[in-house]
Amino acid sequence: MLGFVQSALTYIIPFLLVLTLVVTVHELGHFLAARSFGVAVDRFSIGFGRAIARWTDKSGVEWRVGWMPLGGYVRFAGDANAASVPDGEDLEVMRREIEAREGTGAAARYYHFKPIWQRAVIAAAGPFANFFLAVALFAVLLMAFGKTIYPARVDGVVPGSPAEHAGFQVGDRVIEADGRRIESFLELRQIVFLRAGAQIDFVVDRGGRTLTLTATPERRVVSDEMGGEQRVGVLGLEARESFNDREVRRYNPIQAIGGGAAMTWNILDTTVYYLGRLVSGRETADQLGGPLRIAQVSGKAAQAGAEGASDIGQVLLGSGVALLNLAAVLSVGIGFMNLLPVPVLDGGHLLFYAYEAVARRPLKAEVQAAGYRLGLALLVGLMLFATWNDLQQLRVFKILGGLLS
């Protein structure tokens, strides 16, 4: 029993806090955009399931808190169609029913009768709310704590590694990799991880001289900080982070917003690059994670943030900071995923609206329904694959095999 409680506090609660924050902000983006265009909204819910608290505001919106804290949702008035884009016949029937019930012109308040551009803005507002959340969280952390940077200095070169073959030497400082400015060894490692088998040009500072070296990272199995294993690109460079070498960069509010935007863009750019290599077969799916990985990362982040704390206040502060950073990263991922042109996701709605704008009529309901089923199947399949990947990464099958043998 004690072990279960400890696991809940360590993994489940941080996971729920992070997920609920990110998904609620996503839905809040849809809600605020809809209200700005005068769309009638029935309900905004934080969490799912039976309500443990509810109230109705002056505009008639029911606000509720569900007992299952796994995100939330916003429900527009009359939003019964699964794809949220009824066809022409459905729209006409809906209009007659609304006007018979509420009077002439009442349909103008409903989402489906708004101009296409307004519906597109509402659909895109959720993902962009996630991007804004990431920028805001990164900015707050930069203002409060600054950014700790350890220079990308080479303290060791593994014999026989791609780095040795390329001519790297101890004392080199990497200032550019694959055309990107490098400020820290962490940034260098992130670039190398995703470029196994790809030739990379490096610009290094060697005793005041600027040199260009070319190396191709080789794919190796490495253990990550979460206890799992991944096949990533490895160059063979070693660094020893010294307290005397570190630089703590401070940010004013304007600089912090710019820094937060840059960090958000970097995550997006890295995600697109990784997916491009994955689709082309040049990258493995090791880094695709599902809810198990998110829960594990949430727990590890909370533990790492609390490490070394001397009292409960420092524990909460450290854990909170780590989870806010994780929430920012996850928010970018959820925002990007929802913009993919897959029915069921916001990007799928935008795809339907693009067709409607060109054809001057909504897509037929049967086609939308088929697209919805296909999109749902793809989403479920991806989730199952990610969960299977999580189990493998966490070496669950090896552990079970050892217990059963």
Side-chain angles (χ1 to χ4, degrees):
M1 182 63 181
L2 182 61
F4 173 79
V5 173
Q6 184 177 1
S7 296
L9 292 174
T10 303
Y11 295 102
I12 299 175
I13 293 179
F15 167 71
L16 293 178
L17 289 174
V18 169
L19 185 64
T20 299
L21 170 64
V22 172
V23 176
T24 298
V25 169
H26 177 96
E27 296 301 323
L28 193 60
H30 291 311
F31 173 81
L32 293 176
R35 294 300 293 166
S36 70
F37 294 129
V39 174
V41 178
D42 284 342
R43 176 185 297 167
F44 188 97
S45 178
I46 301 174
F48 295 92
R50 181 174 298 178
I52 57 177
R54 69 171 73 188
W55 64 95
T56 302
D57 63 21
K58 295 180 180 179
S59 62
V61 179
E62 178 195 4
W63 295 80
R64 61 158 53 192
V65 178
W67 71 270
M68 199 173 1
L70 290 173
Y73 64 92
V74 57
R75 190 176 74 188
F76 302 137
D79 193 9
N81 185 282
S84 291
V85 191
D87 63 12
E89 294 182 5
D90 291 335
L91 285 172
E92 189 55 37
V93 171
M94 186 184 298
R95 182 190 298 276
R96 288 198 300 267
E97 291 177 349
I98 292 172
E99 293 187 350
R101 183 176 65 249
E102 302 178 27
T104 303
R109 297 178 56 247
Y110 284 70
Y111 175 78
H112 302 298
F113 298 97
K114 292 294 181 179
I116 296 175
W117 72 270
Q118 291 186 6
R119 283 178 276 147
V121 168
I122 294 170
F128 279 92
N130 283 129
F131 299 147
F132 292 142
L133 173 63
V135 172
L137 290 178
F138 282 137
V140 167
L141 294 175
L142 288 174
M143 281 191 295
F145 304 100
K147 183 179 181 180
T148 301
I149 298 173
Y150 291 93
R153 189 186 62 239
V154 178
D155 293 320
V157 179
V158 177
S161 67
E164 184 185 53
H165 296 319
F168 279 93
Q169 297 180 8
V170 173
D172 288 348
R173 179 168 179 167
V174 181
I175 57 179
E176 190 174 300
D178 200 29
R180 304 185 184 200
R181 192 73 180 174
I182 298 297
E183 292 186 332
S184 68
F185 200 85
L186 176 62
E187 293 178 348
L188 175 61
R189 185 183 294 116
Q190 289 172 341
I191 288 178
V192 171
F193 271 6
L194 295 180
R195 288 165 174 77
Q199 184 173 286
I200 305 176
D201 291 329
F202 298 89
V203 178
V204 302
D205 182 297
R206 180 177 295 170
R209 293 185 300 125
T210 300
L211 304 173
T212 299
L213 304 176
T214 301
T216 302
E218 59 184 9
R219 192 179 302 282
R220 291 184 183 175
V221 177
V222 300
S223 298
D224 58 29
E225 297 177 354
M226 300 298 113
E229 294 181 343
Q230 294 183 352
R231 290 173 294 170
V232 296
V234 174
L235 205 57
L237 296 177
E238 297 176 342
R240 303 179 186 90
E241 295 180 347
S242 171
F243 181 83
N244 295 327
D245 291 337
R246 76 171 187 165
E247 173 192 349
V248 179
R249 185 172 299 171
R250 299 297 178 182
Y251 292 78
N252 61 38
I254 301 300
Q255 292 172 331
I257 293 174
M263 293 171 72
T264 300
W265 175 256
N266 183 58
I267 295 172
L268 277 172
D269 184 55
T270 301
T271 302
V272 172
Y273 179 82
Y274 169 71
L275 291 178
R277 282 177 59 87
L278 183 63
V279 171
S280 64
R282 292 178 294 167
E283 194 59 71
T284 67
D286 288 0
Q287 300 189 53
L288 285 179
L292 294 180
R293 183 89 61 90
I294 297 173
Q296 187 200 30
V297 171
S298 301
K300 292 290 186 180
Q303 288 178 327
E307 187 175 353
S310 59
D311 55 57
I312 187 64
Q314 291 184 359
V315 168
L316 293 176
L317 176 62
S319 298
V321 168
L323 289 176
L324 286 179
N325 187 76
L326 175 62
V329 174
L330 183 61
S331 189
V332 178
I334 287 181
F336 173 79
M337 184 187 73
N338 271 277
L339 283 177
L340 295 177
V342 178
V344 181
L345 300 177
D346 297 321
H349 297 331
L350 293 174
L351 187 64
F352 288 155
Y353 298 149
Y355 172 87
E356 185 178 347
V358 173
R360 298 187 179 277
R361 66 178 184 277
L363 201 60
K364 288 185 175 298
E366 308 85 65
V367 179
Q368 293 182 49
Y372 176 82
R373 288 192 293 270
L374 177 61
L376 185 60
L378 288 173
L379 211 58
V380 171
L382 178 61
M383 185 63 68
L384 290 174
F385 173 78
T387 302
W388 176 268
N389 201 27
D390 289 346
L391 295 173
Q392 290 184 312
Q393 292 294 316
L394 299 176
R395 295 177 289 186
V396 172
F397 299 116
K398 290 183 180 180
I399 295 172
L400 290 176
L403 292 174
L404 295 174
S405 62

